[in-house]
Amino acid sequence: MVLAAPAASRAAAGEQPIRVLVCDDSAVIRGLLARLLDSDPAITVVGTASNGRDVLGLQAREKPDVVVLDIEMPVMDGLAALPALLRADPAVQVVMASTLTTRGADVTMKALRLGAADYVPKPTAVGGIASGDGFRRDLVEKVRALGRVAQRRRGSARPSPAAPPPRISPPVQLAAPRTVAAELLVIGSSTGGPQALFRVMKDLGPQFRLPVLITQHMPATFIPILAEHISKVGGLPCAEAKDGERIVAGRAYLAPGDRHMLVAGDRHAPVISLSSAPPENFCRPAVDPMLRSATAVMGGRVLAVILTGMGHDGLAGCRGLTAQGGAVIAQDEATSVVWGMPGAVAQAGIASAIVPVGDIAREIMTMTRSVGAFA
C-alpha cells in the first residue's frame, strides 16, 4: 500500500518543511507515526508505504529528507531497503523503527552499521504511546534534527525571504592544547552515537591500554548488543558494566540502560557503581554523572570525548573535569549527525580539540601517548 500526500507549506521559522516518508506494514502504526509527525509545524509527511519496495518508489517521486523505516515487512524488509534508499539519495536520513527485543536490537545495530542515521522504539501499545509526550518528543526531535542534516547536505535548507537573518554564533574558542596524564578515557554520545563509537573504537584498536567508559543514550535491551558490535569492530573487549566491577586497562565498559554509570573507589582501584538516581538532562544513563564521578575519583587524569548527540549532556561534567586539569575532545559539526552535545562543549571553549570523527582516535593517541595508553 502506498499513499502520497501533498506537501504542505507549514515551514517553521521560515525554513523549508522537512519531508518525511513513513514505511511500516501495520496500517495502525503507519497512521500513528504519520499523525505524530504531521502535528509538528516543521514536518510534512509526504507519503506512507507498507513495504520496502513501495517506499523506494515513493522516494523517487517525493524526494524525502527522512524515511522512518520498519525492519520486518513483507515483499522487501527494512534491511534490504536501507542500502537501496541510501544509494538513490546519499543525503537521505533513515530512522529505523525497532522493536525493543534482543532480535530487534541486533538488527537495528546492523542497520546503523549499514548507514541508518538513528532509530526509534517501535510503538507496541498504540493507545499509551499516542497519549504520551515522551515518544512523540523523541520521534519529532530526531526527525527534525535529521531532516535539517539532509537539507544541509543538499544545500536546500534555505530560509524564505521573509525569514529573519540567521543568528551569527560567536567563533568557537579552543581550550589550551594539552597532553593529559590520563588513566581513564570516558566517552559520551547520543543521536548518531553508535556509528561514531564504531569508528572511534575501530580506529583505537586492540592496542589501546586505558580503560574506556562509554555512556550512550539507548534503551536497556540495546546495550548488550551495542557492546557486542563495538567488540567486533574495535577489537577492544566491550561489555555492559556491572555494579562493583573493577575498572581495568584495555577494556571498555558500556553504561546499562536506565542506570547511571559512575566511578567509585579510589584512583588506584577504581570500580563501577551503578545508580538509579533521577535522570539528568532527560536521560538515564547520562554523561554528566559519569564525568562528575570520574573527576571526583581520578582528578584531572581523565580524557573525555563528546560525540554526536542532541542536547547538552556532558557540558557540566566537562567543565568540572577541565577545571581539575583534564581535557576534552569534541566531534566536529560536519561529521556529527547532531551537533548538540559536542557543539555545547565546543562553544563553551573547554574543548582542547574539535575534530572529525575519523581523527578522534589519532587525537586520543596524541594526548595520551606519554602515559602508555598503547602497548
Side-chain angles (χ1 to χ4, degrees):
M1 177 181 177
V2 179
L3 175 62
S9 56
R10 304 177 305 152
E15 294 180 314
Q16 294 185 3
I18 295 161
R19 299 170 62 83
V20 181
L21 292 178
V22 175
C23 182
D24 195 291
D25 64 336
S26 165
V28 173
I29 298 299
R30 282 199 309 275
L32 170 63
L33 294 175
R35 287 195 301 276
L36 292 177
L37 290 168
D38 252 336
S39 69
D40 187 274
I43 297 171
T44 297
V45 176
V46 295
T48 64
S50 60
N51 62 69
R53 183 188 64 189
D54 288 348
V55 84
L56 285 168
L58 270 178
Q59 181 194 31
R61 295 199 302 274
E62 300 297 337
K63 304 294 189 287
D65 301 306
V66 179
V67 178
V68 180
L69 184 65
D70 189 16
I71 292 174
E72 296 185 359
M73 297 178 291
V75 185
M76 179 185 284
D77 66 20
L79 274 188
L82 172 62
L85 288 165
L86 296 174
R87 281 195 302 271
D89 180 6
V92 73
Q93 302 295 295
V94 179
V95 178
M96 307 305 295
S98 172
T99 56
L100 293 179
T101 64
T102 299
R103 169 172 161 70
D106 188 47
V107 177
T108 301
M109 288 301 133
K110 290 176 181 175
L112 293 173
R113 290 175 64 180
L114 288 172
D118 210 332
Y119 69 93
V120 290
K122 187 173 180 177
T124 53
V126 173
I129 290 289
S131 62
D133 289 336
F135 176 78
R136 179 191 177 277
R137 181 178 63 244
D138 187 45
L139 174 69
V140 167
E141 284 183 354
K142 286 184 177 183
V143 168
R144 201 161 46 195
L146 293 171
R148 297 304 176 211
V149 170
Q151 292 180 347
R152 285 197 302 272
R153 289 181 179 178
R154 296 193 191 100
S156 61
R158 296 183 296 270
S160 70
R167 181 175 62 86
I168 305 299
S169 300
V172 172
Q173 299 290 328
L174 285 174
R178 61 181 69 173
T179 299
V180 186
E183 297 174 4
L184 180 65
L185 174 66
V186 297
I187 302 176
S189 53
S190 186
T191 307
Q195 304 95 313
L197 286 167
F198 296 151
R199 178 62 190 271
V200 172
M201 298 304 290
K202 179 181 179 180
D203 290 349
L204 285 177
Q207 74 275 18
F208 190 69
R209 301 313 308 156
L210 291 182
V212 183
L213 269 57
I214 303 168
T215 290
Q216 160 72 41
H217 300 156
M218 185 167 273
T221 313
F222 284 54
I223 295 299
I225 307 298
L226 176 59
E228 287 179 17
H229 282 257
I230 290 174
S231 296
K232 288 176 183 176
V233 301
L236 197 69
C238 180
E240 183 176 15
K242 296 178 174 58
D243 193 50
E245 183 176 12
R246 179 79 181 270
I247 298 173
V248 299
R251 296 190 64 86
Y253 305 84
L254 194 59
D258 206 31
R259 302 289 298 278
H260 296 306
M261 179 171 62
L262 311 177
V263 180
D266 60 48
R267 174 193 161 196
H268 302 290
V271 297
I272 298 288
S273 175
L274 300 180
S275 168
S276 296
E280 295 190 26
N281 308 306
F282 305 103
C283 301
R284 188 173 66 197
V287 180
D288 275 331
M290 176 180 67
L291 285 166
R292 278 199 311 271
S293 63
T295 304
V297 172
M298 309 297 292
R301 300 174 183 86
V302 179
L303 175 62
V305 176
I306 304 298
L307 300 175
T308 174
M310 287 189 287
H312 55 80
D313 190 23
L315 173 59
C318 285
R319 286 188 191 277
L321 174 62
T322 55
Q324 294 298 315
V328 179
I329 298 170
Q331 185 175 349
D332 74 347
E333 184 172 11
T335 63
S336 294
V337 173
V338 181
W339 207 52
M341 288 165 52
V345 171
Q347 291 168 348
I350 55 177
S352 292
I354 304 167
V355 295
V357 68
D359 293 339
I360 288 176
R362 184 184 312 137
E363 198 66 37
I364 292 170
M365 296 175 192
T366 299
M367 296 177 72
T368 60
R369 190 175 300 277
S370 65
V371 296
F374 297 86

